[in-house]
Amino acid sequence: MTSAQRPGGTPSSPTPTATSVPGAAGDPTTVEGTTEVLPSVVQKVTAFAAREIPGVVALGGSTSRAVGAVRQTLTGNTENTAGVRVELENQTAHVGLDVEIEYGVGARELVRALRRHVPKAVEEIAGVTVVELNIVITDVHLPGADADADADPVAPPAATR
């Protein structure tokens, strides 16, 4: 008896399943076409993934954040991707990321976390491989800086009685 025969002399053959039969209903390989991921998609995923890292305060420099705020006011678009640059060729991306970090957070550890997390998120969500991630630390957010920014520097003195 050969290994291809069952007891009783009948040849055995693999039983096809619905997922292994080309052209079966629900088989995603039956529809042909192309898929294109735009740089803006990679840009959004990168921005969101970078903001998930503890210690990242904002993306971009102060100028790019100001331009982003104006753009948001004019267009109503709340997806701020300032500070993220993407060069996309085929299914690979070269990404530039400008970040403002929290005071007290180690820059080396933060950069390592960005280099682990951002490419993984882009790969999983957009299906694009990040082959290069260049990070620029544009600023350090100091404790109490928000309180100083909220205070009106030209507020009139309080009225006296």
Side-chain angles (χ1 to χ4, degrees):
M1 169 171 47
T2 66
S3 62
Q5 289 184 342
R6 292 185 182 153
T10 58
S12 65
S13 63
T15 305
T17 61
T19 56
S20 67
V21 176
D27 182 4
T29 61
T30 61
V31 179
E32 294 184 13
T34 61
T35 302
E36 180 180 1
V37 177
L38 297 177
S40 62
V41 172
V42 175
Q43 195 175 24
K44 285 179 186 179
V45 173
T46 298
F48 192 84
R51 288 187 189 102
E52 291 180 321
I53 301 298
V56 173
V57 175
L59 301 181
S62 57
T63 303
S64 66
R65 287 194 303 269
V67 169
V70 170
R71 185 181 310 119
Q72 179 179 346
T73 302
L74 296 174
T75 65
N77 184 355
T78 59
E79 295 170 348
N80 187 1
T81 56
V84 181
R85 296 165 309 285
V86 174
E87 291 179 24
L88 192 58
E89 187 175 328
N90 299 324
Q91 291 299 97
T92 62
H94 297 263
V95 177
L97 183 61
D98 298 342
V99 296
E100 177 182 348
I101 66 172
E102 186 73 37
Y103 176 81
V105 172
R108 287 185 180 142
E109 292 79 19
L110 184 126
V111 167
R112 280 189 206 112
L114 285 168
R115 289 191 195 283
R116 277 190 309 269
H117 185 63
V118 169
K120 182 179 176 187
V122 171
E123 176 92 32
E124 288 177 358
I125 296 169
V128 172
T129 302
V130 176
V131 294
E132 183 177 34
L133 177 58
N134 297 309
I135 301 168
V136 176
I137 298 174
T138 60
D139 203 356
V140 175
H141 182 80
L142 300 174
D146 289 337
D148 294 341
D150 291 341
D152 188 356
V154 290
T160 56
R161 292 184 190 220

